[in-house]
Amino acid sequence: MESDPRLLGNAITSLALARKDLSGVLPSILAPTLFATGEDHSEWTPAEAAAAARLTPRGTSASVPGAAYLLPLEAPVETAHLVTAHWRTSEGES
């Protein structure tokens, strides 16, 4: 499968260059929300993930050692553990 360079360019612009500050809406997110990042991510640091989690009523944060930007690719096992632990913790909430 070949990727479309225009779509890739749009994704990069949307995700990295034109990110909007959504911190104002975080208090309205009522679903259990996990903010995960890599310990080595310089633009979405563990401290920033923790700050977002504090603004979200049912938010939690986690960081993955030795990973940076693409947690599922850089640390698939650790990422799967984070997500499944989050699901298990959230199941009993109402």
Side-chain angles (χ1 to χ4, degrees):
M1 177 193 292
E2 227 176 281
S3 62
D4 183 332
R6 292 175 304 120
L7 296 177
L8 181 58
N10 184 49
I12 291 169
T13 299
S14 297
L15 294 172
L17 304 176
R19 273 193 316 192
K20 294 180 181 178
D21 179 7
L22 298 175
S23 58
V25 300
L26 295 179
S28 67
I29 299 173
L30 302 179
T33 305
L34 173 63
F35 296 91
T37 188
E39 235 176 44
D40 301 328
H41 197 312
S42 62
E43 295 186 29
W44 175 243
T45 66
E48 290 172 316
R54 284 191 300 274
L55 291 172
T56 308
R58 296 165 68 193
T60 58
S61 67
S63 63
V64 177
Y69 302 94
L70 300 171
L71 297 183
L73 295 177
E74 295 175 61
V77 172
E78 294 85 349
T79 302
H81 287 303
L82 282 176
V83 172
T84 55
H86 175 70
W87 286 341
R88 285 187 189 117
T89 303
S90 302
E91 279 179 350
E93 296 182 24
S94 47

